[in-house]
């Protein structure tokens, strides 16, 4: 691994962890909203999905700064 790849590998790992947490949170909030009728769970679901998408955008933005990819 070169010096340029190390920050990208770290960024990928952080993005993956954030996405796993966001998917688990979104899934449980969606169950809370649909099955148990908790009205507050829908905004939480939307927020969890937004966090997951933003983590992916953050990763792609890191590719742009490294001279690789986009």
């Amino acid at each position: 691994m070169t010096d340029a790849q190390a920050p990208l590998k770290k960024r990928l790992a952080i993005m993956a962890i954030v996405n796993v947490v966001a998917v688990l949170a979104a899934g449980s909030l969606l169950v809370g909203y649909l099955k148990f009728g908790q009205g507050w769970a829908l905004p939480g679901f939307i927020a969890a999905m937004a966090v997951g998408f933003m983590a992916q955008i953050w990763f792609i933005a890191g590719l742009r700064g490294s001279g690789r990819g986009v």
Side-chain angles (χ1 to χ4, degrees), residues 7-27:
L8 294 177
K9 188 173 182 181
K10 183 178 179 182
R11 195 175 271 255
L12 176 65
I14 292 170
M15 182 205 60
I17 291 168
V18 169
N19 275 325
V20 167
V21 171
V23 165
L24 292 174

Side-chain angles (χ1 to χ4, degrees), residues 1-10 66-68:
M1 178 171 33
T2 64
D3 290 336
Q5 292 174 337
L8 294 177
K9 188 173 182 181
K10 183 178 179 182
S66 68
R68 297 173 49 110

